[in-house]
Amino acid sequence: MTRRLALRWWPSPLALALATTSALALTLAVLDRRPELIAFTAPLIGALAGGWGWGRPPTHVELHVEQPTQRCFEQDRVPIDVRATAVGGTARFAVRALAPAGLEAAPGGVRAGSWGRFAVRVRITARAGGGLLVATAVSDAVEVRVYPRPAPLRARIRPG
């Protein structure tokens, strides 16, 4: 199953720190008439400008889910196989499962704590422009159906 999600981009904390530091240093250089501060801001402005040379960030991400429905018993680990693909640009993606109440996050999936029917969501974090742009998207990925463990048999059946 494939879902297409829109990405909304904003500056990363790194980009904001570079822009704030360079703007402050340039303002001080002009007001205090100290040209050496301009030499300090040149690498910061270069890092900001260089981030735009990494290509255009994608407008959408395609979320590929192998099995949209999983079944298991209580206390079992359920693997979640999700891949993200960029549409219309290049970016690095990190996909993380958001476990609802009754499930707990485990490496590569979730672990069923109690029985029930759960919708597992995933958060996709995309980084582009050399780490200067960040986007996130959240989507339903997998439905997990957890069944109670059967009680162990206590009495033996004797052939008769």
Side-chain angles (χ1 to χ4, degrees), residues 89-105:
T90 58
R92 289 181 307 160
F93 294 106
V95 180
R96 190 175 134 229
L98 303 174
L103 297 179
E104 56 188 56

Side-chain angles (χ1 to χ4, degrees), residues 26-38:
L26 280 176
T27 303
L28 287 175
V30 170
L31 293 178
D32 204 18
R33 295 186 181 132
R34 297 183 68 184
E36 63 270 9
L37 286 178
I38 294 174

Side-chain angles (χ1 to χ4, degrees), residues 44-109:
L44 301 176
I45 295 172
L48 280 172
W52 299 111
W54 286 82
R56 189 170 181 192
T59 56
H60 290 83
V61 61
E62 283 188 353
L63 186 67
H64 307 281
V65 180
E66 289 299 318
Q67 292 180 331
T69 304
Q70 296 276 356
R71 293 171 184 86
C72 70
F73 289 110
E74 291 176 310
Q75 305 305 320
D76 285 349
R77 191 180 76 75
V78 179
I80 296 177
D81 187 19
V82 177
R83 290 186 321 270
T85 306
V87 176
T90 58
R92 289 181 307 160
F93 294 106
V95 180
R96 190 175 134 229
L98 303 174
L103 297 179
E104 56 188 56

Side-chain angles (χ1 to χ4, degrees), residues 108-126:
V110 293
R111 183 173 304 282
S114 62
W115 64 275
R117 187 172 165 180
F118 305 98
V120 178
R121 298 172 64 87
V122 293
R123 172 175 286 139
I124 302 151
T125 304

